[in-house]
Amino acid sequence: MVVNPVIPGFHPDPSVCQVGDDYYLACSSFEYYPGVPIFHSRDLTAWTQIANALDRPSQLRLVTAPSSGGIYAPTLRHHDGLFLLMTTNVSDRGHFIVTARDPAGPWSDPIVVDGLPGVDPDLAWDETGTCWCTYATFGAEAGTIMQVPIDPLRGKILDAPRPLWSGTGLAAPEAPHLYRIDGNWFLLIAEGGTARGHAVSVARAPAATGPFQGCPANPVLSHRSTSSPIQNTGHADLVRGPDGSWQMLLLGVRPRGVTPGYHVLGRETFLTPVRWVDGWPQPAPVSPGGPAAGVRERDHFDGTTLGPQWLSIRHRPPHAYSLDARPSWLTLHAGAGSLDDPLPTFAGRRQQHTTCRVRVRMDPGSGCGGLAVRLDEHHHYRIEATADNVRCLARIGPLAQPVATCPVDADGPIVLGIDIVPGPASDAVGTPPDVVRLGVEEEDGRFTPLAELDGRYLSTEVAGGYTGRVIGVYAAEGAVAFDWYEYTGTSD
């Protein structure tokens, strides 16, 4: 039984592979740069991010990607001593493969698979050594899982794609993963759409090419129409645990507040055990378990590069981000865009707890910048400082509004803060999932909120899309510097 999200906060579409005693996990990253976080574990529950597979411009082009565009649904596999990761940049070059001997990198430049439509590509090798790419379709072929043999190291399609299975008739069959287990081939897919109807279904065949027959108990996992605090369960991958048991990693969300329920952390990765019944995998419902452990992390920016958990929006030009200009400070140089635009100067980390606190010590100098909680260009709250004042701003859809302003008394660095706390206990329709407080922290540690804003407007149910919140620092004008960034996530 899992006791909390295995990879909390906006780490969806998990794909896992085992190499000896080690497990490696890859997830979607959408419009954020660098892309495709890579995690390592020995027990499938405690994970450490060790890299991003796509960490340089030659691998990742996102400048034209809309919010929730970009990188979708990687598959991570290990074959003949090589790690292969296949994913899709839906906003640029389509399907491609990168490879590495060490999952911590470096990863190769992309091997583009030309002429292959769709999303959610999977890689599997049969007994003859043939590599099968199985993928989900849209457009004229929508509703069918397709398959084609490929040469993964050259990106070449070796035959015409063919239909494999169309699921049980639910909407949007996608996220295929193919396995050979005890002499049979199993095709695991998601269907029902990625919202409340999301589900996991499975089919079985004597060969990798089929013919596939659906499990009589399909969908084998779904939380639709239940009162579970975890919803939207789907997009799963199978793996054996350290004790030899079968386990399933999959995505889910944790809605808060009253109908329709608002999830703000995006889609998270969960773990659930699998037993076999009459030759079919039967995953247990995903349990919320006990409270997640709290965490407190402070980054003093004393390295030569930002850690792999730091994200920028669509790109990270070196001239705009410096750890050298002022030792042990992160200096940001504003570009042409603000947070309302596609290419701001921004460095942030995913919100991973429903209740959290973020503090930054900032020197605005002669510039302007601050701290923001972002869902996309059209949905974010921020607190920003100049040498003269601090102000809070809210962007909700087409509306952008200053909500508070106060003068700056100190000459020099200032501590800006965001507290995200539970919403009011109420059964009223539209009760928000949480409240976002923006404010300033005094030298004695006392926090003075300047604005309290409704968290529902930074949720997927209001803003749409596939991502959760990212909380980070930004430059709006000139150059600004940050001494440290501290994230405290308390128990959920």
Side-chain angles (χ1 to χ4, degrees):
M1 177 181 292
V2 65
V3 296
N4 53 66
V6 176
I7 305 290
F10 174 21
H11 291 93
D13 308 330
S15 178
V16 62
C17 72
Q18 181 181 9
V19 182
D21 295 331
D22 298 292
Y23 296 91
Y24 300 98
L25 177 71
C27 297
S28 294
S29 52
F30 304 100
E31 77 268 26
Y32 285 97
Y33 183 99
V36 187
I38 304 293
F39 300 88
H40 170 259
S41 177
R42 284 291 183 94
D43 61 6
L44 291 176
T45 57
W47 294 86
T48 300
Q49 187 174 353
I50 59 173
N52 293 282
L54 310 177
D55 62 1
R56 56 187 187 272
S58 62
Q59 296 173 303
L60 186 58
R61 300 193 302 234
L62 295 171
V63 293
T64 61
S67 290
S68 292
I71 298 296
Y72 281 18
T75 288
L76 177 63
R77 295 292 183 255
H78 185 259
H79 181 74
D80 283 348
L82 189 67
F83 289 90
L84 299 97
L85 186 146
M86 187 170 185
T87 189
T88 313
N89 187 338
V90 299
S91 305
D92 182 53
R93 56 182 47 157
H95 298 297
F96 63 89
I97 297 168
V98 292
T99 65
R101 293 291 175 184
D102 184 341
W107 289 80
S108 71
D109 279 345
I111 304 164
V112 177
V113 184
D114 287 322
L116 196 64
V119 293
D120 299 357
D122 177 70
L123 296 173
W125 288 260
D126 67 15
E127 303 91 327
T128 70
T130 300
C131 180
W132 295 98
C133 176
T134 308
Y135 61 95
T137 56
F138 289 94
E141 295 178 331
T144 301
I145 301 297
M146 302 289 288
Q147 187 185 75
V148 64
I150 67 170
D151 180 339
L153 300 184
R154 294 192 303 133
K156 300 299 183 183
I157 297 172
L158 303 180
D159 203 346
R162 55 187 296 275
L164 201 61
W165 190 48
S166 57
T168 68
L170 296 176
E174 58 187 2
H177 286 307
L178 188 63
Y179 317 88
R180 187 173 186 265
I181 302 172
D182 295 336
N184 287 310
W185 285 86
F186 291 86
L187 177 62
L188 198 69
I189 72 166
E191 17 175 22
T194 59
R196 299 294 190 263
H198 214 195
V200 178
S201 294
V202 64
R204 186 174 63 196
T209 54
F212 280 90
Q213 177 185 15
C215 175
N218 276 332
V220 292
L221 176 65
S222 180
H223 284 199
R224 63 192 183 192
S225 302
T226 71
S227 58
S228 172
I230 301 167
Q231 292 292 322
N232 302 28
T233 50
H235 204 117
D237 204 2
L238 285 170
V239 70
R240 281 191 181 273
D243 61 357
S245 65
W246 284 94
Q247 303 288 325
M248 177 180 285
L249 288 108
L250 72 161
L251 68 80
V253 306
R254 292 182 285 165
R256 296 291 192 271
V258 183
T259 300
Y262 306 93
H263 73 277
V264 302
L265 303 183
R267 299 177 296 171
E268 306 174 86
T269 290
F270 292 82
L271 177 73
T272 195
V274 175
R275 63 190 182 100
W276 290 80
V277 179
D278 297 329
W280 293 101
Q282 295 290 328
V286 182
S287 169
V295 62
R296 182 176 183 179
E297 300 174 339
R298 177 178 282 197
D299 194 325
H300 287 278
F301 302 121
D302 52 6
T304 57
T305 60
L306 288 172
Q309 72 274 22
W310 284 94
L311 300 173
S312 295
I313 301 168
R314 298 183 178 85
H315 71 162
R316 186 182 290 168
H319 67 270
Y321 301 78
S322 175
L323 292 168
D324 300 326
R326 189 171 177 177
S328 296
W329 290 66
L330 171 64
T331 302
L332 300 181
H333 297 265
S338 71
L339 283 179
D340 297 325
D341 301 307
L343 298 172
T345 301
F346 173 91
R349 297 174 59 167
R350 293 170 174 89
Q351 180 184 339
Q352 295 185 277
H353 298 75
T354 55
T355 302
C356 67
R357 186 187 80 163
V358 176
R359 298 288 185 270
V360 297
R361 186 170 185 258
M362 170 192 171
D363 185 352
S366 60
C368 174
L371 180 64
V373 51
R374 176 190 190 269
L375 199 68
D376 59 31
E377 290 82 59
H378 305 295
H379 301 85
H380 53 261
Y381 299 152
R382 65 190 193 267
I383 178 168
E384 67 182 25
T386 66
D388 300 319
N389 64 64
V390 174
R391 65 174 185 163
C392 302
L393 303 101
R395 174 68 190 268
I396 302 170
L399 304 177
Q401 181 69 42
V403 293
T405 304
C406 75
V408 172
D409 296 328
D411 181 17
I414 184 172
V415 176
L416 305 178
I418 292 177
D419 285 355
I420 298 178
V421 300
S426 171
D427 292 331
V429 173
T431 297
D434 56 15
V435 173
V436 180
R437 294 174 179 157
L438 311 175
V440 176
E441 186 171 283
E442 307 297 338
E443 291 184 3
D444 61 4
R446 179 169 48 89
F447 182 63
T448 302
L450 302 179
E452 294 194 357
L453 302 174
D454 188 328
R456 91 183 82 174
Y457 300 111
L458 305 187
S459 73
T460 299
E461 282 74 16
V462 170
Y466 302 128
T467 64
R469 295 174 181 167
V470 176
I471 305 175
V473 295
Y474 67 94
E477 297 176 12
V480 295
F482 298 88
D483 184 16
W484 46 259
Y485 175 109
E486 182 178 272
Y487 176 94
T488 304
T490 57
S491 299
D492 291 329

